[in-house]
Amino acid sequence: MDASTYTLTTAPPPLEEYLALRQLSGLTPKRAEQAGPALANSWAWRTVQTQSGQTVAMGRVVGDGGWYFLVADMATLPEHQKKGLGRAVLSALLDEISDRAPAGAYVTLMADPPGQRLYEQLGFERPTNGSISMHRRIG
């Protein structure tokens, strides 16, 4: 990540930028009533902004502060991909977990195909104990 072009911050993006970044980066679009609580109630945030203040990458951690942490909303605008922004966001989030969480913290994420290589490079592994990812949508 080029520090003369981008700034990494710990603040969540503004609501409209969060919604746009999810949609434009290929994540499932969300509504404002879903995004508001996500922005307010996350354990940690990292955003990358251009010098003009536009949010172009983000990631967050949802967690209990004790042992369980979920990396979510890893997204980079297509025109800013392949510049190390996702790596910078995820590395900073993992550093914060290491600094603030008790030893033995469990960090998980849902690895869509575009991000799997990055996640593996930063130490994430596929479960070998027979666990699988499961989900259920409400409504």
Side-chain angles (χ1 to χ4, degrees):
M1 185 178 95
D2 180 0
S4 67
T5 306
Y6 300 104
T7 303
L8 182 68
T9 73
T10 60
L15 176 68
E16 292 305 319
E17 289 188 18
Y18 170 80
L19 293 171
L21 186 51
R22 280 192 58 87
Q23 183 174 7
L24 295 171
S25 68
L27 297 181
T28 306
K30 298 298 176 194
R31 299 181 310 276
E33 62 268 21
Q34 294 170 307
L39 292 168
N41 297 318
S42 293
W43 188 81
W45 274 97
R46 290 299 184 279
T47 55
V48 176
Q49 296 176 331
T50 62
Q51 296 305 318
S52 66
Q54 177 192 17
T55 303
V56 296
M58 67 178 178
R60 68 184 175 114
V61 174
V62 180
D64 58 21
W67 73 273
Y68 189 79
F69 300 88
L70 169 71
V71 175
D73 288 333
M74 288 292 300
T76 302
L77 289 177
E79 61 270 24
H80 296 274
Q81 293 176 0
K82 307 292 185 205
K83 297 180 181 182
L85 305 183
R87 177 179 295 278
V89 166
L90 185 54
S91 294
L93 290 170
L94 294 173
D95 287 347
E96 184 165 351
I97 294 169
S98 292
D99 291 345
R100 292 179 48 203
Y106 181 79
V107 183
T108 186
L109 54 75
M110 178 65 73
D112 292 329
Q116 290 173 2
R117 185 168 176 249
L118 170 64
Y119 303 141
E120 289 170 348
Q121 289 174 348
L122 291 176
F124 286 86
E125 302 172 338
R126 297 170 194 262
T128 58
N129 62 358
S131 293
I132 60 169
S133 171
M134 299 179 78
H135 68 271
R136 179 180 174 193
R137 290 204 173 118
I138 305 297

